[in-house]
Amino acid sequence: MRAVDQLSFYSAEARQPVIADLAGMLCGPGQAVGFGRGTAARLSVVVDAEWRARSLVEACAQRGVEAELGRSDEGRPLIRTAFRADLTGLAAQWLRGAVKSVPDGYVPDGAALRIWALTAGSAEPTGYRLGLDPHAPDTHAPLAAALLGCGLPAKPVGPRAGGPALRVTGRRRLARLAELVGPTPDGAIERTWPLVS
């Protein structure tokens, strides 16, 4: 019974969406930028597929944050919020000066994991991969520790193997991840969402 309570507490659908959930974008390749000496901040991320972009715009809207969908210089989908005062707390937690940094003791719940999976998750034959920010290598080890903190030990995947990413393997761990992130989002391409086989 206690394990069920814990899963319910951490799962993506257990509570009302809050702005802090958008940290899932920052676990992946998302960026936070402060403005006006901490009076406003913006989040942005480039993703590899339209369904991800639409899902992230919807996730932002569920949290009362309007995000626009555009294109990066390379033509990939780009999601960007306006500079907003209500994003300053999140940005302050994830930035040390202008450098992205994982907050001390950070452990993602189901909602943040769902947004991380929307941003940069992909299934593979032996597990599930959560993409990391290639421009912020100092975040990789703390994010591995963060996954361990929510019961999802993960192994690092380097650039030669398609990373940087963290790979979750094992039937029980994958089942836990699937429970935490919730149902497959609309329009998700086959094999991009954690499923229990």
Side-chain angles (χ1 to χ4, degrees):
M1 183 67 150
R2 197 174 156 134
V4 171
D5 290 342
Q6 185 176 16
L7 282 177
S8 297
F9 172 75
Y10 282 110
S11 73
E13 299 180 337
R15 59 168 174 71
Q16 293 287 36
V18 295
I19 286 177
D21 301 339
L22 299 178
M25 290 171 55
L26 301 173
C27 292
Q31 302 296 314
V33 177
F35 179 76
R37 298 183 188 201
T39 60
R42 129 186 299 173
L43 299 178
S44 64
V45 66
V46 175
V47 294
D48 63 5
E50 293 292 331
W51 75 266
R52 290 184 192 277
R54 288 189 305 273
S55 295
L56 287 169
V57 167
E58 182 180 328
C60 287
Q62 290 169 350
R63 288 150 183 87
V65 176
E66 186 176 334
E68 64 181 18
L69 176 56
R71 292 278 167 200
S72 70
D73 293 340
E74 298 81 27
R76 295 173 61 195
L78 165 69
I79 298 89
R80 181 171 38 213
T81 70
F83 281 99
R84 300 170 52 104
D86 58 354
L87 293 175
T88 57
L90 180 61
Q93 290 176 344
W94 281 82
L95 293 173
R96 300 293 175 264
V99 178
K100 186 160 85 168
S101 177
V102 179
D104 290 339
Y106 177 71
V107 176
D109 63 7
L113 283 169
R114 181 175 180 84
I115 291 175
W116 189 358
L118 288 172
T119 302
S122 62
E124 49 187 37
T126 60
Y128 192 79
R129 189 182 291 207
L130 290 162
L132 297 168
D133 189 341
H135 305 293
D138 290 344
T139 65
H140 300 179
L143 286 168
L147 284 179
L148 183 61
C150 62
L152 295 170
K155 295 180 181 173
V157 176
R160 290 185 180 173
L166 295 171
R167 179 184 293 136
V168 177
T169 58
R171 185 172 175 84
R172 288 177 56 199
R173 293 174 187 154
L174 291 170
R176 177 162 173 75
L177 178 61
E179 173 72 24
L180 289 170
V181 300
T184 305
D186 291 339
I189 298 169
E190 184 179 341
R191 302 292 301 151
T192 57
W193 203 251
L195 300 171
V196 181
S197 56

